[in-house]
Amino acid sequence: HIFRRNSREKTLLSLDAASRSGCQTLSLALTVFLTCLLLLGRASAAALMLGVMAFVDVVLIGALYWIGEYCNMITAVILTLAIGLAVDFSAHVTHAYFHAESAAAALARMLPPILKAGGSTLPAVLPMAFSQSYVIRLFFAMSLMIISLGLFVGLLVVPAALQTADDVALYRNRRDLENRLRTASYAHDD
């Protein structure tokens, strides 16, 4: 039959879709990096957002296998949407962190709006779960994963990474100061 495809053809089509999606994702990654660099003002924050985006996309691609899907044009579009949604929560927490004393203060400030955003998106996509359309049900499943991952990364992983980076920098500065004082003390004793 003309519409039947063997598994080799399906694999080649899937690889072709994945390579086109990969090129698109790389160009979007660069756009996300430059946008975050412009808006957050720090290369380290933009790099963190790039890491968040990569983490969420890798987990979503793994989840596709778990739910029995493969990379196709529908999932490529949804993965593209995931970039913006996943970075959103994390970017807000990161921005608040740079204007707060600690990760806890930034999180206290941003927790209510982020929970409202995630919580209001869930009821909006919930009716899609009962659709007869394959595309709509797939969009629901991936949206649910994107929201969950975005909340997890934005509320737990990013604040922990920011606070850890701050603690490491503080430790290094304290150690450098102690070494300078020790060196100055030895120089003074001579």
Side-chain angles (χ1 to χ4, degrees):
H1 193 262
I2 193 165
F3 293 110
R4 282 194 178 154
R5 292 190 173 136
N6 62 29
S7 64
R8 184 174 184 275
E9 287 175 340
K10 284 182 181 178
T11 302
L12 290 175
L13 288 173
S14 181
L15 290 174
D16 182 50
S19 67
R20 278 186 274 137
S21 175
C23 291
Q24 183 182 18
T25 302
L26 286 176
S27 65
L28 285 172
L30 179 63
T31 304
V32 167
F33 179 79
L34 292 175
T35 303
C36 288
L37 182 63
L38 178 69
L39 295 177
L40 295 174
R42 297 180 187 202
S44 59
L48 180 62
M49 294 305 104
L50 205 56
V52 165
M53 184 194 68
F55 172 77
V56 169
D57 270 357
V58 166
V59 170
L60 283 174
I61 290 169
L64 282 175
Y65 175 79
W66 182 67
I67 63 173
E69 293 297 327
Y70 59 94
C71 192
N72 56 35
M73 292 312 292
I74 297 165
T75 56
V77 169
I78 298 170
L79 287 170
T80 303
L81 291 172
I83 292 172
L85 293 172
V87 169
D88 186 41
F89 299 132
S90 300
H92 282 88
V93 170
T94 303
H95 184 265
Y97 179 77
F98 292 140
H99 298 286
E101 309 84 50
S102 67
L107 204 52
R109 181 171 168 228
M110 294 309 298
L111 184 65
I114 288 175
L115 287 178
K116 285 178 188 173
S120 65
T121 306
L122 185 60
V125 299
L126 193 58
M128 294 179 186
F130 306 106
S131 174
Q132 298 300 314
S133 169
Y134 160 77
V135 174
I136 301 298
R137 283 194 323 269
L138 180 62
F139 187 82
F140 167 74
M142 290 192 68
S143 294
L144 187 62
M145 288 184 277
I146 292 166
I147 294 165
S148 303
L149 282 169
L151 288 172
F152 171 74
V153 172
L155 296 176
L156 296 173
V157 176
V158 168
L162 290 169
Q163 190 64 49
T164 301
D166 237 13
D167 291 345
V168 168
L170 187 64
Y171 174 76
R172 284 184 185 159
N173 289 341
R174 187 178 317 144
R175 192 179 62 204
D176 289 346
L177 180 62
E178 288 171 356
N179 287 339
R180 286 186 202 147
L181 290 174
R182 194 174 306 119
T183 305
S185 171
Y186 290 138
H188 181 69
D189 289 342
D190 291 341

